[in-house]
């Protein structure tokens, strides 16, 4: 089960004196992620994040141009360890593990609602759309592509496989069920999705 601990009732602990900028930034991101996963975009404000992190609004706006950009970075920070891409040497096992981790994140935590809200908000927020591509979707895509390229070199996948397309097939299907919930996101769905795609690409 994907575990993301959040407790918005507890302020972030701070020591005395002026904190290093890196520490302030880390605490702002932690506060943003916790607030976002507990209250969603509806309850997410710069003021609440600033109060929780013990930082000024001016400091936050110096690093993030909009509420949406901060929300996206907070989300990415919170889920980064959950979505780390494994490398066991078996591409089928690794893709299955990664897609399962993603589907569990969407269904067992507040992340599913949050990512849907961020995608929706990015349609009218250029700053958020840019942040989503540069800081979340592109880095996550790169991890999957790198892992599949390695599998191609090892002879586990066909040489003419396009990893970029496979990413869209696997994760795109998950996003489709998230945003158009005609069918549920389940572990059975995730496993069948990887199995069906690998029929065409695995050597």
């Amino acid at each position: 089960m994907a575990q993301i601990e959040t407790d918005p009732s507890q302020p972030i602990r701070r020591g005395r004196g002026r904190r290093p900028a890196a520490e302030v930034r880390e605490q702002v991101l932690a506060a943003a992620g916790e607030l976002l996963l507990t209250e969603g975009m509806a309850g997410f404000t710069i003021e609440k994040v600033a109060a929780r992190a013990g930082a000024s609004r001016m400091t936050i706006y110096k690093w993030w141009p909009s509420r949406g950009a901060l929300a996206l970075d907070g989300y990415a920070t919170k889920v980064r360890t959950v979505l780390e891409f494994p490398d066991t040497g078996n591409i089928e096992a690794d893709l299955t593990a990664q897609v399962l981790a993603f589907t569990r994140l969407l269904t067992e935590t507040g992340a599913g609602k949050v990512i849907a809200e961020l995608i929706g908000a990015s349609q009218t927020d250029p700053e958020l759309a840019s942040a989503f591509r540069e800081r979340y979707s592109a880095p996550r895509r790169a991890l999957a592509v790198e892992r599949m390229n390695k599998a191609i070199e090892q002879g586990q996948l066909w040489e003419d496989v396009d990893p970029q397309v496979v990413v869209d097939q696997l994760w795109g299907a998950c996003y489709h069920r998230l945003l158009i919930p005609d069918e549920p996101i389940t572990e059975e769905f995730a496993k069948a999705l990887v199995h069906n795609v690998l029929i065409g690409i695995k050597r």
Side-chain angles (χ1 to χ4, degrees):
M1 178 180 293
Q3 296 291 333
I4 301 178
E5 296 181 1
T6 60
D7 187 356
S9 66
Q10 298 297 320
I12 292 176
R13 297 181 182 276
R14 301 181 296 277
R16 295 180 178 179
R18 186 178 181 85
R19 293 172 292 165
E23 180 182 331
V24 175
R25 184 180 177 89
E26 180 181 341
Q27 292 182 338
V28 169
L29 286 171
E34 290 166 0
L35 181 64
L36 188 64
L37 290 179
T38 53
E39 298 192 22
M41 283 297 287
F44 186 89
T45 66
I46 296 291
E47 290 76 10
K48 288 182 180 179
V49 174
R52 181 163 174 73
S56 70
R57 292 175 57 195
M58 184 179 299
T59 296
I60 291 177
Y61 277 117
K62 181 172 65 177
W63 287 323
W64 291 279
S66 70
R67 164 178 168 268
L70 174 59
L72 188 279
D73 272 5
Y75 169 83
T77 299
K78 204 67 180 173
V79 305
R80 182 174 294 119
T81 56
V82 177
L83 296 181
E84 289 178 348
F85 211 105
D87 185 354
T88 65
N90 183 323
I91 188 60
E92 181 169 4
D94 292 346
L95 286 174
T96 301
Q98 172 54 217
V99 174
L100 278 172
F102 183 57
T103 56
R104 287 168 183 157
L105 182 72
L106 295 179
T107 58
E108 297 176 6
T109 74
K113 178 181 178 182
V114 166
I115 197 64
E117 290 175 332
L118 288 171
I119 291 172
S122 69
Q123 307 307 302
T124 55
D125 183 343
E127 296 284 358
L128 175 56
S130 177
F132 191 92
R133 288 190 300 271
E134 295 174 6
R135 303 176 195 175
Y136 179 71
S137 61
R140 299 227 56 80
R141 177 182 287 268
L143 289 175
V145 169
E146 180 182 7
R147 180 65 191 89
M148 281 186 276
N149 279 331
K150 183 176 180 180
I152 292 172
E153 294 172 0
Q154 294 171 335
Q156 295 186 51
L157 302 178
W158 293 107
E159 294 87 345
D160 60 351
V161 166
D162 186 338
Q164 296 282 2
V165 174
V166 177
V167 169
D168 292 331
Q169 289 175 296
L170 293 175
W171 283 268
C174 297
Y175 281 116
H176 183 273
R177 288 204 175 193
L178 175 67
L179 299 174
I180 306 176
D182 293 338
E183 295 290 337
I185 300 173
T186 64
E187 290 197 6
E188 291 73 18
F189 158 71
K191 292 175 182 177
L193 178 61
V194 176
H195 173 74
N196 288 353
V197 171
L198 282 173
I199 289 176
I201 67 174
K202 188 177 179 183
R203 294 190 66 167

